[in-house]
Amino acid sequence: MKCSEFLQELTNYLDGVLDDRTKSELEDHLAWCHNCYVVCDTTKKTIEIYRDSQLYELPDDLRNRLRSAIVAKCEARKKTGPREV
Ligand SMILES: [Zn+2]
């Protein structure tokens, strides 16, 4: 398998939609081609970060509670007066 072929199949590989034969060809390629390994690794991480950021998006309820907690903290600080440094 050539690098260009690898890159063509990379997204399918990461999506897990490849047949076993093509998949093992890609894995063979990854085993010896450092360039494609790096590309694959970077792409995979980017996808994971994207997925994580969706996963950890705060629900509105929690976000509001966090915000009022921060506001309450600011109010408390106002009462004691700002500290000049
Ligand atoms: Zn390659």
Side-chain angles (χ1 to χ4, degrees):
M1 179 176 280
K2 282 184 282 184
C3 289
S4 57
E5 291 172 310
F6 177 89
L7 294 174
Q8 227 163 34
E9 296 292 347
L10 178 61
T11 49
N12 291 333
Y13 174 65
L14 293 174
D15 282 344
V17 297
L18 286 179
D19 56 282
D20 286 349
R21 205 176 68 94
T22 316
K23 197 176 148 191
S24 65
E25 278 177 30
L26 281 160
E27 278 162 358
D28 278 355
H29 187 93
L30 272 182
W32 62 264
C33 182
H34 183 69
N35 274 345
C36 288
Y37 176 81
V38 171
V39 172
C40 177
D41 199 47
T42 312
T43 311
K44 205 171 17 177
K45 277 180 186 146
T46 310
I47 291 171
E48 275 163 13
I49 289 166
Y50 176 71
R51 279 187 190 150
D52 281 355
S53 71
Q54 294 226 311
L55 204 67
Y56 292 127
E57 178 133 10
L58 294 177
D60 279 351
D61 172 52
L62 183 59
R63 201 182 314 199
N64 287 337
R65 269 192 285 163
L66 274 176
R67 210 170 57 143
S68 41
I70 292 166
V71 170
K73 223 169 201 176
C74 290
E75 292 296 322
R77 193 182 292 172
K78 261 188 220 158
K79 275 178 202 154
T80 55
R83 258 191 228 155
E84 304 285 333
V85 184

